[in-house]
Amino acid sequence: MNVLDSPLFKSLFEDDVPRIILAANVPDYTIITYNETYKKATYTTNREVRGQSLWVAFPKDEIHGGTEILERGLAEATDKNKKIVLPPFRYDIPSADENTNETRWWQIEIEPISSNGEKADSLLVKTINITEQVKRNKTISNYIEREQSLSNELAQTHEELAASNEELLANLEDLLVTNEALSQSQNELQSLNRELENRVEARTIDVQASKLLLQNIISTANIAMTLLKGEDLIIELPNPKMLHIWQRDLKAVEGKKITDVFPELKNQRFPQLLADVFRTGERIAMPQVPVDISYPNGEIKLIYVDFSYDPIFSKDGKVEYILASVNDITEQVENLKQLEESKSELQATTEELAASNEELSATNEELATTNEELQEAQENLSLKIDELSETEESLRLALASGNLGIYSIEPSTGKFDISSKAREFYGLAPEGPITWIDVTNTVVPEYLHIIEQARINALKNQLPFDVQYPIIQSSTKTIKWVRVVGKSVSETKLRPARFLGVIIDITSEIEYRHTLEESEDRFRNMAEATDVFIAVGDETSNATYFNSSWSDITGRTMESLLEFGWVDLVHAEDRERYLNIYLNAFENKLPFTGEFRLLNKEGEYVWLLAKGTPRFHADGTFAGYISTSIDISELKRDELRKNDFIGMVSHELKTPLTAISGFVQVLQSRAKKNDDDYALLALNRAYNQVKKMTTMINGFLNVSRLESGKLLIEKSHFQLDELLNELIDESDLVQFSHEITLSIKEPISIYADRDKIGSVISNLLSNAVKYSAANTKIGVDCQISGDKAIISVTDEGIGIDAEDLEKLFDRYYRVGKHHTVSGFGIGLYLSAEIVERHNGKIGVTSKAGEGSTFYFEIPIEQA
């Protein structure tokens, strides 16, 4: 009978999977027939292709390599008369109107059909259109890569801007401290000689003001800094100046607690000050603080520093880092001490000079001495003025190389001093006087009130200001963005109130920020437009984004999802399993895949397949996960229908097979009575084949029950040693090619499902016989280890390659190069599931060409 004409084949052929039958006439492969699903999948509903060559009905696709894959698969299935599963490939087919070709990706299985049991005369081809799946996977991968790249770039930009802000604020505060110290020194010098003060007063004021500005900016260019992370004060990113102060290299301090590196600080006030910054979030700065520093050689040295602790906040408003800025002023303090000593000496000299003046007529020689001292002081002042001029020139060079502009403005008079670099920023004339009006005329009008408000607040509250605004350069008419940072200086006896600060060109940063914002908007729009469920989490596993598809399926708003999540909607039977998958992946920063049921807004459970990919910052630190989920409910229903069908067919096949087994046994008895050795041999072989078929059908039936949750484990107490002896005796009855030996030291009583454990052992024995040469030995070993029984089966067979070991217990998996051995790859899968349901584990050790040892262990006593 032709297999294609059987009712069973036709009922299986006409289902919802696209199938086509080809004649095995290489190389034409004439189309014999195909089902309705195939017509729809290939646009052949309105055209008849039966009787045509496959390559006529569907012209070859020579561009993408699909034709070569398909031809090779058809030829291999025909020549070797075995089932072939092809990898996914692209093969474009004619469209419905036959005017163009449409892009298609296929997953194909080729099953040879033989009417005489020998050479295949036709091929059953199962074709699955996976085009949408391939496109969707490519789209999601592109979204993920783009989002990760944008996140890394944005994080780097934010870090650079934060560092610049902190450095500028510290510089301006140091400027005020130095100004006060210099003003005090100037007053002391004036008291030395009033006559000399009157002549150089104007010059001294200008020199001291310049010195104030120059020394401040120079000190900020070389200030020592480090980051202290968390309340444990972990040292991060100390700069070279700080390492010089500490007398330690980067390796000795980075990543360690500051109190571990400098234990002597525990008894000082600095840890408490740092704790106050974390508690209040307010900045602390103190000048001329004595600090005991322990150097690596054991020496403890007293140094003096100006320091500030500036909090750096995270997105949730909590203090995450402290920026510690330290300026070593030990040398300056020691100089001040010497100056105080010199001042005392000078005061004594001045008093003596006063006494000498009262007795001028009698002390001419003392007056001459005093005049010489005044001359020497004047010469020293001249030298200091020269030194200050050199310092001023050095600072100008430093500002030029740092691309910074500086300015000073007196609001009351409108007097405006501005550097050449700042003139360049605003597009103003390189020379000549500049007024405040000249600067404000370049500002885009709608930003003028922002600048004015910042100026008023700075003057009123004596606080620093930091404003950003666009300007239109006077010379080029080009729009630029500048950032102006500064602080107001109160009025003194010598000078009116004024502003001092720096100007930075931030045009490139603003343009880059706008680009990032536009890119983020595009990504968000794309994420909202897809029906894939996309979610983003941070490094603490808190969700930061859900697309609209999550709201559509759960019925919850975005705000509710971010606050409460969706885990409570996961089916109780899936929740712990899925959370374990996610938490294990999160702990190891690895990708994960998991399936679970989710309660939708209609009150029904749907199946979702979730895939998560870890994200990392540019510096390699973990940034969280982006996950995508798709609805696989229909696939799950198809799988359930398939298992029900397999179970039904397996159950129906057992009835005629039982009858055949009975008839064979009756014929065996008659053959023995009649001494018909040939008939008895043939019937024995037929009986063995019936037993193999029965085992195979039971395997399919058990897999169906297992996956539908109907495979029951019925435990009872029994002797494991007796079961092993029975199974070995049964094996010896149906095979005579191998010697099976049992090694067991004592009787073992166990609480388990006797039939299910027996099927596991039988399967391992059967595999050992199949995959080892005749006349070799098979060893069965059983022993007790703690509260577990360990059973192993060792053969001297062909062994297993390393790449096959991990997949050996998967459903329907068979080692590719041994398909000549009968079986469907369900025995080990079913055995693994039975052992797992006994709370045990199963495994294998093997080496190709040297045999294998399959083993499993189960608890001896377990309710």
Side-chain angles (χ1 to χ4, degrees):
M1 175 179 177
N2 192 334
V3 177
L4 303 181
D5 296 331
S6 67
L8 177 59
F9 178 82
K10 289 182 178 180
S11 64
L12 294 174
F13 184 70
E14 292 295 339
D15 59 5
D16 57 356
V17 176
R19 305 179 192 272
I20 183 172
I21 298 178
L22 305 174
N25 55 334
V26 183
D28 294 332
Y29 302 108
T30 305
I31 298 174
I32 298 175
T33 185
Y34 44 88
N35 61 13
E36 291 297 322
T37 309
Y38 183 85
K39 288 182 181 182
K40 297 177 182 178
T42 58
Y43 302 127
T44 54
T45 303
N46 297 325
R47 64 187 181 103
E48 181 60 59
V49 296
R50 289 184 180 88
Q52 295 182 8
S53 168
L54 178 64
W55 316 119
V56 174
F58 304 100
K60 293 184 177 182
D61 184 356
E62 303 292 354
I63 298 177
H64 303 101
T67 301
E68 181 181 352
I69 295 174
L70 181 56
E71 280 184 313
R72 187 166 59 249
L74 293 171
E76 185 177 356
T78 303
D79 293 342
K80 297 183 179 180
N81 195 20
K82 67 175 185 179
K83 180 178 178 181
I84 298 298
V85 178
L86 297 181
F89 64 90
R90 179 175 175 181
Y91 194 117
D92 297 347
I93 64 171
S95 61
D97 58 8
E98 301 184 42
N99 291 329
T100 59
N101 277 0
E102 290 195 3
T103 300
R104 287 291 183 271
W105 285 82
W106 306 92
Q107 179 76 56
I108 287 183
E109 297 178 5
I110 306 171
E111 182 80 31
I113 302 174
S114 175
S115 59
N116 55 14
E118 296 180 356
K119 185 177 181 181
D121 47 27
S122 58
L123 301 172
L124 173 61
V125 183
K126 173 183 174 183
T127 62
I128 300 177
N129 182 358
I130 60 170
T131 304
E132 293 302 321
Q133 180 182 346
V134 171
K135 291 180 178 178
R136 182 165 57 248
N137 289 341
K138 290 182 178 179
T139 301
I140 292 174
S141 297
N142 291 337
Y143 288 167
I144 293 173
E145 290 177 2
R146 181 61 176 166
E147 192 275 340
Q148 184 173 358
S149 175
L150 294 176
S151 298
N152 292 339
E153 294 173 357
L154 183 59
Q156 184 177 1
T157 302
H158 286 170
E159 291 175 0
E160 293 175 355
L161 290 177
S164 298
N165 288 341
E166 298 296 336
E167 183 177 357
L168 289 172
L169 289 175
N171 293 346
L172 292 174
E173 292 183 357
D174 291 341
L175 182 64
L176 291 178
V177 172
T178 306
N179 184 32
E180 293 174 0
L182 289 176
S183 296
Q184 183 178 356
S185 298
Q186 181 182 359
N187 293 332
E188 293 173 353
L189 185 61
Q190 287 175 348
S191 65
L192 179 64
N193 192 311
R194 178 61 59 185
E195 182 178 353
L196 181 61
E197 178 184 9
N198 292 334
R199 288 182 296 167
V200 298
E201 179 180 6
R203 177 59 179 167
T204 301
I205 294 173
D206 292 337
V207 169
Q208 294 299 331
S210 299
K211 183 177 180 181
L212 171 65
L213 177 62
L214 296 177
Q215 287 185 345
N216 251 296
I217 298 178
I218 288 176
S219 64
T220 60
N222 295 287
I223 196 168
M225 289 184 174
T226 187
L227 284 175
L228 300 178
K229 182 178 180 180
E231 296 186 6
D232 289 336
L233 306 177
I234 304 300
I235 299 173
E236 289 188 8
L237 302 178
N239 66 1
K241 188 70 175 179
M242 182 67 80
L243 295 174
H244 176 72
I245 293 176
W246 289 344
Q247 291 295 298
R248 286 168 170 80
D249 57 21
L250 181 63
K251 184 178 180 181
V253 300
E254 189 167 45
K256 300 179 181 178
K257 295 183 180 179
I258 192 168
T259 53
D260 290 342
V261 178
F262 302 103
E264 64 275 17
L265 294 180
K266 294 180 180 179
N267 299 323
Q268 302 183 40
R269 56 179 169 172
F270 301 102
Q272 183 58 46
L273 293 175
L274 290 164
D276 291 342
V277 175
F278 271 105
R279 179 175 55 81
T280 64
E282 295 180 357
R283 180 177 188 272
I284 291 179
M286 298 182 68
Q288 295 187 12
V289 177
V291 183
D292 289 326
I293 293 293
S294 175
Y295 289 159
N297 60 6
E299 177 187 1
I300 296 179
K301 182 178 179 181
L302 175 66
I303 66 172
Y304 291 85
V305 297
D306 293 337
F307 76 91
S308 63
Y309 295 154
D310 298 269
I312 300 177
F313 298 92
S314 59
K315 294 181 179 179
D316 56 6
K318 296 181 179 179
V319 178
E320 185 177 5
Y321 289 89
I322 291 180
L323 176 63
S325 303
V326 177
N327 185 22
D328 186 354
I329 60 169
T330 304
E331 183 177 353
Q332 292 92 315
V333 171
E334 292 176 351
N335 290 338
L336 286 175
K337 289 181 179 179
Q338 294 178 1
L339 182 60
E340 289 294 332
E341 294 175 359
S342 299
K343 178 182 175 182
S344 298
E345 295 176 359
L346 183 60
Q347 182 65 34
T349 302
T350 303
E351 291 175 357
E352 291 176 1
L353 181 61
S356 297
N357 286 332
E358 293 176 353
E359 301 174 357
L360 183 60
S361 60
T363 57
N364 288 329
E365 293 180 0
E366 293 180 3
L367 180 59
T369 301
T370 303
N371 288 334
E372 290 175 0
E373 291 176 354
L374 291 176
Q375 181 64 32
E376 183 179 355
Q378 184 175 4
E379 291 175 355
N380 290 336
L381 180 60
S382 178
L383 291 175
K384 291 185 179 294
I385 292 173
D386 293 339
E387 291 174 358
L388 192 58
S389 298
E390 293 177 0
T391 304
E392 183 177 1
E393 181 62 25
S394 298
L395 180 59
R396 288 196 182 96
L397 293 175
L399 290 174
S401 62
N403 198 32
L404 296 174
I406 60 174
Y407 70 92
S408 172
I409 181 173
E410 298 177 359
S412 60
T413 63
K415 183 180 179 181
F416 195 77
D417 291 331
I418 185 169
S419 68
S420 58
K421 179 59 69 174
R423 290 172 181 258
E424 180 183 333
F425 289 161
Y426 285 101
L428 300 173
E431 297 180 354
I434 298 295
T435 66
W436 176 246
I437 299 300
D438 296 329
V439 174
T440 56
N441 285 339
T442 67
V443 179
V444 175
E446 53 265 33
Y447 285 84
L448 287 173
H449 72 284
I450 298 176
I451 301 173
E452 182 63 19
Q453 189 61 46
R455 184 184 71 83
I456 294 172
N457 291 339
L459 281 174
K460 180 178 178 181
N461 302 316
Q462 295 297 305
L463 294 174
F465 66 94
D466 187 343
V467 292
Q468 300 176 8
Y469 53 84
I471 63 172
I472 302 176
Q473 287 189 335
S474 302
S475 57
T476 64
K477 303 304 179 183
T478 302
I479 295 180
K480 294 282 187 179
W481 278 83
V482 295
R483 178 182 177 188
V484 180
V485 181
K487 188 174 183 180
S488 63
V489 179
S490 302
E491 180 181 2
T492 66
K493 295 179 179 179
L494 302 177
R495 300 191 64 172
R498 63 194 185 281
F499 285 99
L500 298 176
V502 295
I503 304 170
I504 310 169
D505 185 350
I506 60 169
T507 304
S508 58
E509 288 85 346
I510 294 296
E511 292 175 349
Y512 184 65
R513 188 190 308 165
H514 290 166
T515 301
L516 287 179
E517 291 173 352
E518 293 174 359
S519 299
E520 184 176 354
D521 289 340
R522 284 196 298 271
F523 169 76
R524 188 176 296 275
N525 290 335
M526 290 186 290
E528 295 299 325
T530 182
D531 56 356
V532 176
F533 308 107
I534 300 176
V536 179
D538 60 18
E539 67 277 7
T540 64
S541 78
N542 290 327
T544 59
Y545 171 73
F546 290 94
N547 69 346
S548 58
S549 296
W550 276 106
S551 296
D552 294 340
I553 192 172
T554 61
R556 294 180 176 178
T557 63
M558 176 70 71
E559 292 75 14
S560 179
L561 285 169
L562 290 174
E563 184 175 359
F564 302 109
W566 49 270
V567 176
D568 60 302
L569 300 177
V570 177
H571 197 287
E573 296 177 2
D574 303 334
R575 187 176 301 140
E576 182 177 358
R577 172 180 54 80
Y578 177 74
L579 288 178
N580 286 337
I581 292 173
Y582 170 74
L583 292 175
N584 287 336
F586 185 87
E587 181 178 355
N588 297 290
K589 314 297 186 292
L590 296 174
F592 69 87
T593 301
E595 297 178 358
F596 57 89
R597 286 166 288 180
L598 186 75
L599 187 67
N600 64 15
K601 60 184 178 182
E602 284 81 21
E604 300 175 350
Y605 280 103
V606 295
W607 278 95
L608 297 184
L609 172 62
K611 292 187 177 182
T613 303
R615 300 181 296 117
F616 297 93
H617 295 298
D619 59 0
T621 57
F622 180 57
Y625 274 88
I626 180 169
S627 67
T628 59
S629 304
I630 58 174
D631 190 337
I632 58 170
S633 300
E634 189 60 36
L635 292 177
K636 284 292 184 179
R637 287 191 284 269
D638 289 343
E639 186 175 349
L640 181 60
R641 288 193 290 266
K642 177 199 67 178
N643 290 334
D644 291 342
F645 174 75
I646 291 175
M648 178 191 68
V649 172
S650 300
H651 189 272
E652 293 298 325
L653 288 176
K654 288 183 68 176
T655 301
L657 199 59
T658 302
I660 292 173
S661 177
F663 290 138
V664 170
Q665 292 180 43
V666 171
L667 292 174
Q668 282 178 315
S669 299
R670 291 187 177 183
K672 288 181 181 178
K673 291 180 180 179
N674 298 331
D675 294 328
D676 189 344
D677 294 335
Y678 176 78
L680 183 60
L681 177 62
L683 289 170
N684 284 339
R685 292 181 176 177
Y687 182 70
N688 288 339
Q689 295 301 319
V690 169
K691 287 196 68 175
K692 289 181 180 179
M693 182 63 74
T694 302
T695 301
M696 188 185 307
I697 291 173
N698 285 336
F700 280 119
L701 188 58
N702 285 333
V703 169
S704 174
R705 291 171 178 170
L706 177 67
E707 296 185 348
S708 60
K710 298 178 181 178
L711 183 65
L712 300 179
I713 302 297
E714 299 178 352
K715 295 182 179 181
S716 63
H717 289 280
F718 65 91
Q719 291 298 124
L720 182 58
D721 52 307
E722 294 179 0
L723 175 62
L724 288 169
N725 281 302
E726 289 178 12
L727 295 174
I728 292 174
D729 290 341
E730 289 180 5
S731 178
D732 288 338
L733 290 176
V734 297
Q735 66 86 22
F736 309 97
S737 57
H738 295 73
E739 178 185 353
I740 303 178
T741 60
L742 173 63
S743 174
I744 184 169
K745 295 182 179 180
E746 57 183 326
I748 300 175
S749 177
I750 193 169
Y751 184 70
D753 189 318
R754 194 177 194 276
D755 291 338
K756 299 297 189 301
I757 296 299
S759 70
V760 173
I761 299 171
S762 295
N763 181 258
L764 298 184
L765 286 172
S766 175
N767 285 345
V769 171
K770 285 184 194 177
Y771 293 100
S772 59
N775 301 318
T776 58
K777 294 183 179 181
I778 297 174
V780 180
D781 181 78
C782 181
Q783 56 183 295
I784 300 298
S785 176
D787 60 347
K788 294 181 174 62
I790 303 176
I791 301 96
S792 62
V793 178
T794 303
D795 62 56
E796 300 174 354
I798 58 179
I800 304 169
D801 291 333
E803 61 267 21
D804 293 315
L805 287 177
E806 293 183 0
K807 303 178 182 178
L808 208 56
F809 296 98
D810 292 349
R811 182 178 56 178
Y812 304 134
Y813 181 78
R814 300 186 64 220
V815 178
K817 63 182 181 182
H818 301 306
H819 276 180
T820 55
V821 180
S822 62
F824 289 92
I826 62 174
L828 290 178
Y829 166 70
L830 186 60
S831 297
E833 291 293 335
I834 291 173
V835 171
E836 183 178 349
R837 296 195 180 202
H838 281 80
N839 295 320
K841 64 179 181 179
I842 191 169
V844 58
T845 59
S846 180
K847 189 173 182 181
E850 298 183 7
S852 305
T853 297
F854 284 83
Y855 62 88
F856 69 92
E857 63 179 45
I858 55 175
I860 296 175
E861 292 287 342
Q862 188 176 46

